[in-house]
Amino acid sequence: MRRCLEEGIEFHGELLNFRKDGTPLINSLRLMPIHSDDGVVTHVIGIQLFTEAKLDLNNVSYPVFKETYQQQSDKLVEPYQVGAGMLRSHQQKQQEVCVLLQLSDEVIAQNILSRLTPRDVASIGSVCRRIRQLTKNEHVRKMVCQNAWGVDVTGALELMTKKLGWGRLARELTTLEAISWKKFTVGGGVEPSRCNFSACAVGNRLFLFGGEGVNMQPMDDTFVLNLDARHPEWRRVSVKSSPPGRWGHTLSSLNGSWLVVFGGCGRQGLLNDVFVLDLDAKQPTWKEVAGGTPPLPRSWHSSCTLEGSKLVVSGGCTDAGVLLSDTFLLDLNMEKPTWKEIPTSWTPSSRLGHSLSVYGRTKILMFGGLAKTGHLQLRSGSAYTIDLEKEKPEWRQLECGTDVGGQNAVVPPPRLDHVAVTMPCGRIIVFGGSIAGLHSPSQLFLLDPSEEKPSWRTLNVPGKPPKFAWGHSTCVVGGTRVLVLGGHNGEEWVLNELHELCLATRQDSP
Protein backbone atom coordinates (compact mmCIF):
# COMPACT_ATOMS: atom_id res chain seq x y z
CA MET A 1 0.00 0.00 0.00
CA ARG A 2 2.79 2.36 0.90
CA ARG A 3 4.57 1.63 -2.39
CA CYS A 4 1.40 2.28 -4.38
CA LEU A 5 0.85 5.60 -2.63
CA GLU A 6 4.47 6.65 -3.18
CA GLU A 7 4.41 5.69 -6.86
CA GLY A 8 0.91 7.08 -7.53
CA ILE A 9 -0.57 3.79 -8.76
CA GLU A 10 -3.80 2.04 -7.83
CA PHE A 11 -3.90 -0.36 -4.87
CA HIS A 12 -6.44 -3.14 -4.41
CA GLY A 13 -6.07 -5.67 -1.62
CA GLU A 14 -7.61 -7.26 1.44
CA LEU A 15 -6.83 -6.28 5.00
CA LEU A 16 -7.70 -8.12 8.16
CA ASN A 17 -9.37 -5.73 10.59
CA PHE A 18 -10.97 -6.21 13.99
CA ARG A 19 -14.01 -4.90 15.75
CA LYS A 20 -13.64 -3.55 19.28
CA ASP A 21 -14.80 -6.91 20.64
CA GLY A 22 -11.97 -8.62 18.75
CA THR A 23 -14.01 -10.34 16.03
CA PRO A 24 -12.27 -10.27 12.63
CA LEU A 25 -13.45 -8.48 9.46
CA ILE A 26 -12.13 -8.64 5.91
CA ASN A 27 -11.65 -5.13 4.52
CA SER A 28 -11.51 -5.10 0.73
CA LEU A 29 -9.69 -1.80 0.18
CA ARG A 30 -9.21 0.07 -3.07
CA LEU A 31 -7.11 3.23 -3.36
CA MET A 32 -7.34 5.18 -6.61
CA PRO A 33 -5.07 8.20 -7.23
CA ILE A 34 -6.48 11.27 -8.98
CA HIS A 35 -3.95 13.04 -11.22
CA SER A 36 -3.86 16.63 -12.37
CA ASP A 37 -3.25 17.54 -16.00
CA ASP A 38 0.50 17.60 -15.39
CA GLY A 39 0.48 14.14 -13.82
CA VAL A 40 0.73 15.16 -10.16
CA VAL A 41 -1.39 13.17 -7.69
CA THR A 42 -3.80 15.64 -6.07
CA HIS A 43 -6.21 13.27 -4.31
CA VAL A 44 -6.53 9.61 -3.42
CA ILE A 45 -9.99 8.08 -3.27
CA GLY A 46 -10.37 5.20 -0.83
CA ILE A 47 -13.20 2.66 -1.00
CA GLN A 48 -13.68 0.05 1.72
CA LEU A 49 -15.98 -2.97 1.62
CA PHE A 50 -16.28 -4.96 4.85
CA THR A 51 -17.30 -8.62 4.94
CA GLU A 52 -17.38 -11.17 7.73
CA ALA A 53 -14.13 -13.13 8.16
CA LYS A 54 -14.64 -16.77 9.05
CA LEU A 55 -11.09 -17.38 10.25
CA ASP A 56 -9.46 -19.30 13.01
CA LEU A 57 -6.93 -16.72 14.13
CA ASN A 58 -4.84 -19.43 15.78
CA ASN A 59 -4.20 -21.14 12.42
CA VAL A 60 -3.78 -18.36 9.87
CA SER A 61 -1.01 -18.71 7.31
CA TYR A 62 0.27 -15.15 7.82
CA PRO A 63 1.06 -13.17 10.96
CA VAL A 64 -1.60 -10.93 12.51
CA PHE A 65 -0.48 -7.87 14.45
CA LYS A 66 -2.59 -6.28 17.14
CA GLU A 67 -0.28 -3.71 18.70
CA THR A 68 -0.81 -1.30 21.55
CA TYR A 69 1.01 1.95 22.30
CA GLN A 70 0.75 3.07 25.91
CA GLN A 71 1.83 6.39 27.38
CA GLN A 72 4.08 5.94 30.42
CA SER A 73 2.03 8.41 32.41
CA ASP A 74 -1.45 7.08 31.66
CA LYS A 75 -3.28 4.52 29.55
CA LEU A 76 -4.77 7.00 27.11
CA VAL A 77 -4.42 5.23 23.78
CA GLU A 78 -6.69 2.44 22.70
CA PRO A 79 -5.32 -0.59 20.86
CA TYR A 80 -5.06 0.10 17.18
CA GLN A 81 -5.38 -2.60 14.63
CA VAL A 82 -2.92 -3.20 11.82
CA GLY A 83 -3.71 -5.19 8.69
CA ALA A 84 -2.33 -8.50 7.58
CA GLY A 85 1.32 -9.37 7.12
CA MET A 86 1.27 -8.09 3.56
CA LEU A 87 1.59 -4.59 5.07
CA ARG A 88 4.45 -5.31 7.45
CA SER A 89 7.31 -7.69 7.46
CA HIS A 90 7.07 -10.53 9.94
CA GLN A 91 10.69 -9.90 10.84
CA GLN A 92 10.06 -6.25 11.76
CA LYS A 93 10.87 -6.08 15.45
CA GLN A 94 10.71 -2.37 16.14
CA GLN A 95 7.19 -1.10 16.71
CA GLU A 96 6.23 2.07 14.89
CA VAL A 97 4.38 4.70 16.88
CA CYS A 98 2.09 7.31 15.31
CA VAL A 99 4.07 10.56 15.14
CA LEU A 100 0.99 12.54 16.21
CA LEU A 101 0.85 10.69 19.53
CA GLN A 102 4.47 11.55 20.28
CA LEU A 103 3.57 15.24 20.52
CA SER A 104 2.69 16.93 23.79
CA ASP A 105 -0.91 17.61 24.77
CA GLU A 106 -0.30 21.36 24.41
CA VAL A 107 0.96 21.02 20.84
CA ILE A 108 -1.87 18.68 19.82
CA ALA A 109 -4.52 20.93 21.38
CA GLN A 110 -3.30 24.40 20.40
CA ASN A 111 -1.51 23.74 17.10
CA ILE A 112 -3.65 20.96 15.63
CA LEU A 113 -7.10 20.51 17.19
CA SER A 114 -7.80 24.24 17.48
CA ARG A 115 -7.38 24.61 13.68
CA LEU A 116 -10.03 22.00 12.86
CA THR A 117 -13.78 22.47 12.54
CA PRO A 118 -16.07 21.30 15.36
CA ARG A 119 -17.31 18.46 13.14
CA ASP A 120 -13.74 17.30 12.41
CA VAL A 121 -12.79 17.45 16.09
CA ALA A 122 -15.76 15.26 16.97
CA SER A 123 -14.64 12.77 14.31
CA ILE A 124 -10.99 12.62 15.34
CA GLY A 125 -12.00 12.25 18.97
CA SER A 126 -13.70 8.95 18.15
CA VAL A 127 -10.55 7.12 17.07
CA CYS A 128 -8.19 7.60 20.00
CA ARG A 129 -8.79 7.79 23.74
CA ARG A 130 -6.06 10.34 24.32
CA ILE A 131 -7.38 12.65 21.60
CA ARG A 132 -10.89 12.15 22.92
CA GLN A 133 -9.80 13.30 26.38
CA LEU A 134 -8.26 16.43 24.86
CA THR A 135 -11.39 17.21 22.85
CA LYS A 136 -13.45 17.09 26.04
CA ASN A 137 -11.49 20.03 27.42
CA GLU A 138 -13.75 23.12 27.38
CA HIS A 139 -10.84 25.46 26.66
CA VAL A 140 -9.88 23.40 23.61
CA ARG A 141 -13.50 23.27 22.45
CA LYS A 142 -13.79 27.03 22.75
CA MET A 143 -10.58 27.49 20.72
CA VAL A 144 -12.01 25.23 18.01
CA CYS A 145 -15.28 27.20 17.84
CA GLN A 146 -13.44 30.53 17.94
CA ASN A 147 -11.18 29.50 15.08
CA ALA A 148 -14.14 28.27 12.99
CA TRP A 149 -16.68 31.00 13.80
CA GLY A 150 -14.64 34.04 14.86
CA VAL A 151 -14.11 35.91 18.10
CA ASP A 152 -17.26 38.04 17.84
CA VAL A 153 -19.54 35.04 17.32
CA THR A 154 -18.04 32.99 20.16
CA GLY A 155 -18.27 36.04 22.39
CA ALA A 156 -21.99 36.27 21.68
CA LEU A 157 -22.36 32.55 22.41
CA GLU A 158 -20.50 32.70 25.74
CA LEU A 159 -23.68 32.88 27.82
CA MET A 160 -25.15 29.79 26.17
CA THR A 161 -22.14 27.67 27.12
CA LYS A 162 -22.69 28.14 30.86
CA LYS A 163 -25.38 25.48 30.67
CA LEU A 164 -24.64 23.53 27.50
CA GLY A 165 -20.85 23.69 27.23
CA TRP A 166 -18.98 24.33 24.00
CA GLY A 167 -19.11 20.71 22.88
CA ARG A 168 -22.87 20.34 23.05
CA LEU A 169 -23.47 23.82 21.67
CA ALA A 170 -21.23 23.13 18.66
CA ARG A 171 -23.04 19.83 18.07
CA GLU A 172 -26.50 21.40 18.25
CA LEU A 173 -25.54 24.24 15.90
CA THR A 174 -24.00 21.74 13.48
CA THR A 175 -26.76 19.12 13.49
CA LEU A 176 -29.67 21.49 14.31
CA GLU A 177 -31.06 18.70 16.49
CA ALA A 178 -32.55 21.21 18.96
CA ILE A 179 -34.04 23.73 16.49
CA SER A 180 -37.64 24.72 17.26
CA TRP A 181 -40.21 27.50 16.96
CA LYS A 182 -41.58 29.24 20.03
CA LYS A 183 -44.26 31.91 20.29
CA PHE A 184 -44.42 34.39 23.16
CA THR A 185 -46.07 37.66 24.05
CA VAL A 186 -44.35 40.78 25.39
CA GLY A 187 -45.76 43.79 27.21
CA GLY A 188 -45.75 47.47 26.40
CA GLY A 189 -46.53 48.64 22.93
CA VAL A 190 -45.17 50.29 19.79
CA GLU A 191 -47.66 53.10 19.37
CA PRO A 192 -49.01 54.16 17.03
CA SER A 193 -49.33 50.92 15.08
CA ARG A 194 -47.11 50.65 11.99
CA CYS A 195 -45.63 48.46 9.26
CA ASN A 196 -42.48 48.62 7.10
CA PHE A 197 -40.34 49.47 10.13
CA SER A 198 -36.80 48.18 10.60
CA ALA A 199 -35.33 46.42 13.62
CA CYS A 200 -32.01 44.99 14.80
CA ALA A 201 -30.45 43.46 17.92
CA VAL A 202 -27.74 44.91 20.14
CA GLY A 203 -26.79 42.27 22.67
CA ASN A 204 -30.03 40.96 24.14
CA ARG A 205 -31.98 44.10 23.30
CA LEU A 206 -34.16 44.60 20.23
CA PHE A 207 -34.42 48.07 18.74
CA LEU A 208 -37.05 49.29 16.31
CA PHE A 209 -37.01 52.54 14.36
CA GLY A 210 -39.52 54.28 12.15
CA GLY A 211 -42.09 52.64 9.94
CA GLU A 212 -45.21 53.46 7.99
CA GLY A 213 -48.16 54.58 10.08
CA VAL A 214 -51.77 55.33 9.15
CA ASN A 215 -52.19 57.07 5.78
CA MET A 216 -48.53 56.38 4.88
CA GLN A 217 -47.32 58.53 7.78
CA PRO A 218 -43.49 58.20 8.12
CA MET A 219 -42.55 57.54 11.77
CA ASP A 220 -39.35 58.80 13.48
CA ASP A 221 -39.45 57.19 16.95
CA THR A 222 -37.17 54.54 18.48
CA PHE A 223 -38.29 51.64 20.70
CA VAL A 224 -36.38 49.01 22.70
CA LEU A 225 -37.33 45.55 23.98
CA ASN A 226 -34.99 44.17 26.68
CA LEU A 227 -35.10 40.39 26.48
CA ASP A 228 -33.08 40.04 29.70
CA ALA A 229 -35.96 41.51 31.71
CA ARG A 230 -38.19 39.14 33.70
CA HIS A 231 -41.20 40.47 31.78
CA PRO A 232 -39.94 42.04 28.52
CA GLU A 233 -41.93 45.01 27.28
CA TRP A 234 -41.56 47.62 24.57
CA ARG A 235 -40.37 51.04 25.74
CA ARG A 236 -39.84 54.24 23.82
CA VAL A 237 -36.20 55.37 23.82
CA SER A 238 -35.80 58.97 24.95
CA VAL A 239 -33.51 60.72 22.46
CA LYS A 240 -32.59 64.38 22.04
CA SER A 241 -33.23 64.41 18.31
CA SER A 242 -34.39 61.93 15.68
CA PRO A 243 -33.74 61.43 11.97
CA PRO A 244 -36.56 62.44 9.62
CA GLY A 245 -39.40 59.92 9.75
CA ARG A 246 -39.21 57.13 7.16
CA TRP A 247 -40.22 53.65 6.10
CA GLY A 248 -38.62 51.13 3.73
CA HIS A 249 -35.22 51.95 5.34
CA THR A 250 -32.64 49.72 7.04
CA LEU A 251 -31.51 49.70 10.69
CA SER A 252 -28.15 48.07 11.50
CA SER A 253 -26.04 47.44 14.60
CA LEU A 254 -22.36 48.46 14.60
CA ASN A 255 -19.54 48.16 17.16
CA GLY A 256 -21.83 46.45 19.67
CA SER A 257 -23.45 49.72 20.79
CA TRP A 258 -24.44 51.78 17.73
CA LEU A 259 -27.61 51.92 15.69
CA VAL A 260 -27.29 53.07 12.08
CA VAL A 261 -30.19 54.17 9.87
CA PHE A 262 -29.87 54.52 6.09
CA GLY A 263 -32.26 55.55 3.34
CA GLY A 264 -35.99 54.94 3.11
CA CYS A 265 -38.99 57.01 2.12
CA GLY A 266 -39.82 60.21 4.04
CA ARG A 267 -42.27 63.08 3.72
CA GLN A 268 -40.31 64.68 0.87
CA GLY A 269 -39.52 61.48 -1.02
CA LEU A 270 -36.61 59.04 -0.91
CA LEU A 271 -33.57 59.54 1.35
CA ASN A 272 -29.88 58.64 1.27
CA ASP A 273 -28.79 60.01 4.64
CA VAL A 274 -26.99 58.16 7.45
CA PHE A 275 -27.76 58.63 11.15
CA VAL A 276 -25.94 57.00 14.08
CA LEU A 277 -27.17 56.55 17.67
CA ASP A 278 -24.62 55.70 20.40
CA LEU A 279 -26.54 53.63 22.95
CA ASP A 280 -23.75 53.97 25.54
CA ALA A 281 -24.04 57.76 25.66
CA LYS A 282 -25.56 59.33 28.78
CA GLN A 283 -28.11 61.09 26.58
CA PRO A 284 -28.56 59.09 23.33
CA THR A 285 -28.72 61.41 20.33
CA TRP A 286 -29.14 60.58 16.67
CA LYS A 287 -26.29 62.22 14.74
CA GLU A 288 -26.05 62.53 10.99
CA VAL A 289 -22.88 61.24 9.32
CA ALA A 290 -21.60 63.13 6.28
CA GLY A 291 -19.90 60.42 4.25
CA GLY A 292 -18.74 62.19 1.11
CA THR A 293 -20.73 61.39 -2.01
CA PRO A 294 -23.57 59.09 -0.86
CA PRO A 295 -25.41 56.48 -2.93
CA LEU A 296 -28.55 57.51 -4.78
CA PRO A 297 -31.63 58.02 -2.55
CA ARG A 298 -33.50 54.72 -2.27
CA SER A 299 -35.92 52.50 -0.40
CA TRP A 300 -36.48 48.75 -0.11
CA HIS A 301 -32.73 48.23 -0.37
CA SER A 302 -30.79 45.71 1.71
CA SER A 303 -27.88 46.23 4.09
CA CYS A 304 -25.56 44.26 6.35
CA THR A 305 -22.62 44.84 8.70
CA LEU A 306 -19.04 43.70 8.05
CA GLU A 307 -16.37 43.34 10.74
CA GLY A 308 -18.44 45.27 13.26
CA SER A 309 -17.99 48.73 11.73
CA LYS A 310 -18.64 48.60 7.97
CA LEU A 311 -22.10 49.23 6.58
CA VAL A 312 -22.82 47.62 3.19
CA VAL A 313 -25.82 48.77 1.14
CA SER A 314 -27.10 47.06 -2.00
CA GLY A 315 -29.86 47.64 -4.53
CA GLY A 316 -33.27 49.16 -3.85
CA CYS A 317 -35.60 51.41 -5.78
CA THR A 318 -35.35 55.07 -6.87
CA ASP A 319 -38.08 57.75 -6.85
CA ALA A 320 -38.78 56.97 -10.49
CA GLY A 321 -39.31 53.28 -9.73
CA VAL A 322 -36.00 52.22 -11.26
CA LEU A 323 -34.40 49.17 -9.62
CA LEU A 324 -30.73 49.46 -8.61
CA SER A 325 -27.85 46.98 -8.76
CA ASP A 326 -25.02 48.92 -7.08
CA THR A 327 -23.18 48.05 -3.85
CA PHE A 328 -21.67 50.64 -1.48
CA LEU A 329 -19.57 50.42 1.68
CA LEU A 330 -19.20 52.94 4.52
CA ASP A 331 -16.59 52.35 7.26
CA LEU A 332 -17.92 54.20 10.30
CA ASN A 333 -14.76 53.55 12.33
CA MET A 334 -12.83 56.00 10.15
CA GLU A 335 -12.29 59.52 11.41
CA LYS A 336 -14.03 60.84 8.29
CA PRO A 337 -16.25 58.05 6.94
CA THR A 338 -16.56 58.08 3.17
CA TRP A 339 -18.92 56.11 0.95
CA LYS A 340 -17.09 53.80 -1.44
CA GLU A 341 -18.77 52.06 -4.35
CA ILE A 342 -17.60 48.50 -4.88
CA PRO A 343 -16.83 48.16 -8.60
CA THR A 344 -17.23 44.72 -10.17
CA SER A 345 -17.01 43.54 -13.76
CA TRP A 346 -20.42 41.90 -13.43
CA THR A 347 -23.34 42.45 -11.06
CA PRO A 348 -26.57 40.55 -10.37
CA SER A 349 -29.63 42.09 -12.01
CA SER A 350 -31.16 45.16 -10.39
CA ARG A 351 -33.52 44.33 -7.51
CA LEU A 352 -35.32 45.32 -4.34
CA GLY A 353 -36.64 43.35 -1.38
CA HIS A 354 -33.64 40.98 -1.42
CA SER A 355 -31.47 39.94 1.52
CA LEU A 356 -27.75 40.30 2.30
CA SER A 357 -26.21 37.81 4.74
CA VAL A 358 -22.62 37.92 6.00
CA TYR A 359 -20.65 34.69 6.43
CA GLY A 360 -16.96 33.93 6.74
CA ARG A 361 -16.31 37.46 8.14
CA THR A 362 -16.07 39.29 4.78
CA LYS A 363 -18.27 37.26 2.43
CA ILE A 364 -21.82 38.23 1.53
CA LEU A 365 -24.68 36.11 0.20
CA MET A 366 -27.41 37.89 -1.78
CA PHE A 367 -30.68 36.00 -2.20
CA GLY A 368 -34.06 36.64 -3.80
CA GLY A 369 -35.81 39.95 -4.29
CA LEU A 370 -37.88 41.48 -7.05
CA ALA A 371 -35.37 41.49 -9.91
CA LYS A 372 -35.37 43.02 -13.36
CA THR A 373 -35.50 40.31 -16.01
CA GLY A 374 -35.51 41.84 -19.47
CA HIS A 375 -38.46 44.22 -19.53
CA LEU A 376 -40.14 42.45 -16.59
CA GLN A 377 -39.73 42.58 -12.83
CA LEU A 378 -40.04 39.09 -11.39
CA ARG A 379 -39.43 37.40 -8.06
CA SER A 380 -35.97 35.83 -7.90
CA GLY A 381 -34.79 32.60 -6.32
CA SER A 382 -31.12 33.05 -7.26
CA ALA A 383 -28.20 33.31 -4.84
CA TYR A 384 -24.99 35.28 -5.38
CA THR A 385 -21.80 35.70 -3.33
CA ILE A 386 -18.97 38.21 -3.13
CA ASP A 387 -15.85 38.37 -0.93
CA LEU A 388 -15.07 41.98 -0.06
CA GLU A 389 -11.68 41.05 1.39
CA LYS A 390 -10.30 40.36 -2.07
CA GLU A 391 -8.36 43.07 -3.89
CA LYS A 392 -10.88 42.94 -6.76
CA PRO A 393 -14.19 41.61 -5.39
CA GLU A 394 -16.44 39.93 -7.93
CA TRP A 395 -20.03 38.74 -7.72
CA ARG A 396 -20.64 35.15 -8.77
CA GLN A 397 -23.86 33.19 -8.98
CA LEU A 398 -24.19 30.01 -6.94
CA GLU A 399 -25.38 26.99 -8.88
CA CYS A 400 -27.57 25.36 -6.25
CA GLY A 401 -29.86 23.29 -8.47
CA THR A 402 -27.53 20.38 -9.32
CA ASP A 403 -28.26 16.79 -8.39
CA VAL A 404 -27.34 15.76 -4.87
CA GLY A 405 -26.96 12.08 -4.14
CA GLY A 406 -28.86 11.18 -7.26
CA GLN A 407 -31.85 13.33 -6.31
CA ASN A 408 -32.82 16.79 -7.46
CA ALA A 409 -31.69 19.46 -5.03
CA VAL A 410 -34.30 21.51 -3.18
CA VAL A 411 -34.66 25.04 -4.55
CA PRO A 412 -36.60 27.66 -2.56
CA PRO A 413 -39.43 29.27 -4.55
CA PRO A 414 -38.58 32.79 -5.81
CA ARG A 415 -39.48 35.47 -3.25
CA LEU A 416 -38.92 38.97 -1.89
CA ASP A 417 -39.25 40.62 1.54
CA HIS A 418 -38.19 37.35 3.15
CA VAL A 419 -36.13 36.63 6.26
CA ALA A 420 -32.48 35.51 5.98
CA VAL A 421 -30.40 34.59 9.02
CA THR A 422 -26.72 33.69 9.28
CA MET A 423 -26.01 30.97 11.84
CA PRO A 424 -22.80 31.04 13.91
CA CYS A 425 -21.31 28.28 11.75
CA GLY A 426 -21.82 30.30 8.55
CA ARG A 427 -24.85 28.50 7.17
CA ILE A 428 -27.82 30.63 6.17
CA ILE A 429 -31.52 30.06 6.88
CA VAL A 430 -34.18 31.57 4.60
CA PHE A 431 -37.93 31.59 5.14
CA GLY A 432 -41.05 33.59 4.46
CA GLY A 433 -41.49 36.44 2.04
CA SER A 434 -43.83 37.27 -0.78
CA ILE A 435 -44.12 34.04 -2.76
CA ALA A 436 -46.29 33.29 -5.78
CA GLY A 437 -48.62 30.31 -5.41
CA LEU A 438 -49.53 28.39 -2.28
CA HIS A 439 -46.12 27.66 -0.74
CA SER A 440 -46.00 27.76 3.03
CA PRO A 441 -44.39 31.06 4.08
CA SER A 442 -42.89 29.48 7.20
CA GLN A 443 -41.01 26.68 5.44
CA LEU A 444 -37.31 26.93 6.26
CA PHE A 445 -34.47 26.44 3.76
CA LEU A 446 -30.81 25.98 4.72
CA LEU A 447 -27.73 26.75 2.60
CA ASP A 448 -24.01 26.53 3.31
CA PRO A 449 -22.48 28.93 0.74
CA SER A 450 -18.92 27.95 1.70
CA GLU A 451 -19.34 24.41 0.36
CA GLU A 452 -17.66 23.56 -2.92
CA LYS A 453 -21.06 22.66 -4.40
CA PRO A 454 -23.68 24.41 -2.24
CA SER A 455 -27.15 22.92 -2.14
CA TRP A 456 -30.36 23.97 -0.40
CA ARG A 457 -32.17 21.66 1.97
CA THR A 458 -35.41 22.03 3.88
CA LEU A 459 -35.72 21.99 7.67
CA ASN A 460 -38.65 20.40 9.45
CA VAL A 461 -38.91 22.48 12.62
CA PRO A 462 -41.32 21.64 15.45
CA GLY A 463 -43.27 24.31 17.33
CA LYS A 464 -45.42 27.26 16.28
CA PRO A 465 -44.00 29.18 13.30
CA PRO A 466 -45.22 32.67 12.35
CA LYS A 467 -48.58 32.55 10.59
CA PHE A 468 -47.66 35.53 8.42
CA ALA A 469 -44.13 35.73 7.09
CA TRP A 470 -44.17 38.65 4.70
CA GLY A 471 -42.54 42.02 5.36
CA HIS A 472 -41.20 40.87 8.70
CA SER A 473 -38.17 42.13 10.54
CA THR A 474 -35.84 39.63 12.16
CA CYS A 475 -32.99 39.83 14.66
CA VAL A 476 -30.39 37.35 15.87
CA VAL A 477 -29.92 37.50 19.64
CA GLY A 478 -27.04 35.82 21.43
CA GLY A 479 -26.11 33.85 18.32
CA THR A 480 -28.76 31.16 18.91
CA ARG A 481 -32.09 33.03 19.03
CA VAL A 482 -33.81 34.38 15.92
CA LEU A 483 -36.61 36.80 16.82
CA VAL A 484 -39.24 37.50 14.17
CA LEU A 485 -41.22 40.71 14.66
CA GLY A 486 -44.39 41.86 13.02
CA GLY A 487 -47.42 40.26 11.55
CA HIS A 488 -50.75 41.29 10.10
CA ASN A 489 -54.12 40.12 11.39
CA GLY A 490 -56.12 41.71 8.59
CA GLU A 491 -56.71 44.98 10.42
CA GLU A 492 -53.47 46.12 11.99
CA TRP A 493 -49.83 45.18 12.45
CA VAL A 494 -49.15 43.31 15.69
CA LEU A 495 -45.81 43.83 17.46
CA ASN A 496 -46.58 42.25 20.84
CA GLU A 497 -46.52 38.72 19.45
CA LEU A 498 -43.00 37.51 18.75
CA HIS A 499 -41.88 34.23 17.27
CA GLU A 500 -38.52 32.81 18.23
CA LEU A 501 -36.55 30.29 16.20
CA CYS A 502 -34.34 28.55 18.76
CA LEU A 503 -31.16 27.19 17.14
CA ALA A 504 -29.95 25.50 20.35
CA THR A 505 -31.35 24.39 23.68
CA ARG A 506 -32.42 27.42 25.69
CA GLN A 507 -30.99 27.92 29.17
CA ASP A 508 -34.47 27.99 30.66
CA SER A 509 -35.45 24.77 28.87
CA PRO A 510 -35.42 21.46 30.73
Side-chain angles (χ1 to χ4, degrees):
M1 188 191 302
R2 182 180 293 112
R3 180 180 60 82
C4 290
L5 290 174
E6 290 175 350
E7 297 179 5
I9 58 178
E10 184 174 331
F11 169 85
H12 193 186
E14 291 185 343
L15 309 180
L16 180 59
N17 293 162
F18 298 87
R19 292 194 179 96
K20 286 187 176 181
D21 62 4
T23 57
L25 285 173
I26 293 296
N27 177 3
S28 180
L29 175 64
R30 187 175 183 181
L31 300 177
M32 294 173 289
I34 304 299
H35 297 83
S36 63
D37 294 337
D38 54 3
V40 177
V41 176
T42 59
H43 299 76
V44 176
I45 298 177
I47 301 174
Q48 301 178 91
L49 179 63
F50 290 95
T51 56
E52 296 294 330
K54 298 179 181 180
L55 299 175
D56 180 359
L57 298 182
N58 295 319
N59 296 297
V60 294
S61 59
Y62 46 83
V64 175
F65 296 92
K66 198 173 183 182
E67 304 172 343
T68 302
Y69 171 72
Q70 179 176 319
Q71 290 279 72
Q72 295 180 358
S73 58
D74 194 8
K75 297 179 180 179
L76 292 177
V77 183
E78 292 180 339
Y80 64 92
Q81 294 77 32
V82 182
M86 68 180 74
L87 301 181
R88 292 200 177 191
S89 168
H90 180 54
Q91 288 77 25
Q92 182 178 357
K93 297 181 180 180
Q94 182 179 5
Q95 294 184 350
E96 293 182 6
V97 178
C98 175
V99 176
L100 174 65
L101 299 179
Q102 297 179 19
L103 302 175
S104 67
D105 287 353
E106 292 77 13
V107 172
I108 294 176
Q110 297 187 23
N111 293 6
I112 299 176
L113 295 182
S114 66
R115 300 175 185 274
L116 302 178
T117 65
R119 187 190 294 271
D120 291 337
V121 168
S123 298
I124 196 174
S126 67
V127 300
C128 171
R129 189 180 302 167
R130 180 183 172 202
I131 300 295
R132 184 162 66 247
Q133 290 298 113
L134 289 176
T135 60
K136 288 182 178 180
N137 182 284
E138 279 295 286
H139 180 66
V140 173
R141 286 175 169 174
K142 180 178 179 179
M143 285 195 301
V144 171
C145 293
Q146 188 168 293
N147 177 65
W149 303 339
V151 176
D152 293 338
V153 173
T154 49
L157 293 172
E158 197 80 49
L159 182 63
M160 287 293 296
T161 63
K162 293 182 179 179
K163 176 182 177 180
L164 300 181
W166 286 104
R168 180 176 173 184
L169 180 61
R171 188 188 76 228
E172 289 188 357
L173 291 178
T174 301
T175 63
L176 293 179
E177 60 191 58
I179 191 170
S180 63
W181 279 111
K182 175 185 176 183
K183 177 184 176 182
F184 61 98
T185 303
V186 299
V190 177
E191 299 294 343
S193 180
R194 67 197 65 200
C195 63
N196 299 328
F197 54 84
S198 190
C200 71
V202 179
N204 281 351
R205 295 177 294 172
L206 300 187
F207 288 89
L208 181 152
F209 175 78
E212 179 184 353
V214 179
N215 297 324
M216 301 180 69
Q217 175 77 12
M219 315 300 291
D220 66 352
D221 42 8
T222 307
F223 291 83
V224 61
L225 178 68
N226 186 0
L227 296 171
D228 283 336
R230 183 183 295 269
H231 302 290
E233 61 180 42
W234 286 106
R235 296 181 182 272
R236 189 186 299 268
V237 179
S238 176
V239 296
K240 276 189 175 181
S241 62
S242 292
R246 66 194 67 203
W247 44 271
H249 56 287
T250 55
L251 181 71
S252 307
S253 170
L254 295 181
N255 291 334
S257 63
W258 292 2
L259 296 179
V260 181
V261 165
F262 172 76
C265 183
R267 291 182 183 275
Q268 307 302 321
L270 297 189
L271 303 163
N272 61 350
D273 49 5
V274 179
F275 283 83
V276 175
L277 179 70
D278 186 354
L279 298 171
D280 290 339
K282 291 183 179 180
Q283 178 58 59
T285 303
W286 284 101
K287 296 180 180 180
E288 186 170 6
V289 176
T293 304
L296 290 173
R298 65 193 66 202
S299 62
W300 309 119
H301 53 280
S302 187
S303 69
C304 61
T305 302
L306 280 182
E307 301 178 297
S309 65
K310 300 173 182 177
L311 178 68
V312 178
V313 173
S314 166
C317 181
T318 68
D319 255 329
V322 177
L323 302 187
L324 300 169
S325 63
D326 50 7
T327 303
F328 283 83
L329 183 145
L330 180 67
D331 189 347
L332 288 162
N333 259 0
M334 297 177 63
E335 185 176 349
K336 293 182 178 181
T338 303
W339 282 106
K340 174 186 176 184
E341 184 171 7
I342 300 172
T344 56
S345 60
W346 175 84
T347 61
S349 55
S350 307
R351 65 192 61 218
L352 60 76
H354 53 295
S355 60
L356 295 182
S357 306
V358 179
Y359 69 99
R361 196 172 62 84
T362 61
K363 298 176 182 177
I364 297 175
L365 176 81
M366 175 192 292
F367 174 74
L370 183 68
K372 185 175 181 180
T373 305
H375 297 292
L376 302 177
Q377 295 179 1
L378 303 174
R379 293 178 179 88
S380 170
S382 300
Y384 308 86
T385 65
I386 189 172
D387 187 352
L388 297 185
E389 190 175 41
K390 292 186 176 180
E391 184 177 352
K392 293 182 178 180
E394 292 292 342
W395 285 104
R396 67 181 182 90
Q397 184 171 358
L398 291 184
E399 299 296 336
C400 303
T402 55
D403 286 352
V404 178
Q407 299 179 350
N408 289 329
V410 176
V411 179
R415 63 192 66 206
L416 73 151
D417 294 338
H418 51 279
V419 168
V421 177
T422 303
M423 295 176 56
C425 48
R427 292 177 294 175
I428 294 169
I429 294 175
V430 167
F431 75 97
S434 172
I435 306 170
L438 301 176
H439 298 286
S440 169
S442 58
Q443 186 178 23
L444 270 68
F445 296 87
L446 180 71
L447 178 71
D448 187 348
S450 62
E451 290 181 341
E452 185 176 351
K453 293 183 178 180
S455 60
W456 292 97
R457 67 184 181 96
T458 56
L459 297 176
N460 296 316
V461 182
K464 296 182 178 180
K467 184 177 180 181
F468 302 98
W470 173 83
H472 278 148
S473 251
T474 183
C475 308
V476 181
V477 178
T480 63
R481 304 174 65 188
V482 181
L483 274 298
V484 181
L485 317 177
H488 199 276
N489 63 7
E491 297 179 358
E492 63 179 2
W493 287 81
V494 180
L495 288 175
N496 289 77
E497 290 184 357
L498 275 69
H499 288 80
E500 176 181 347
L501 181 66
C502 306
L503 302 179
T505 304
R506 285 282 305 277
Q507 286 186 292
D508 54 1
S509 300

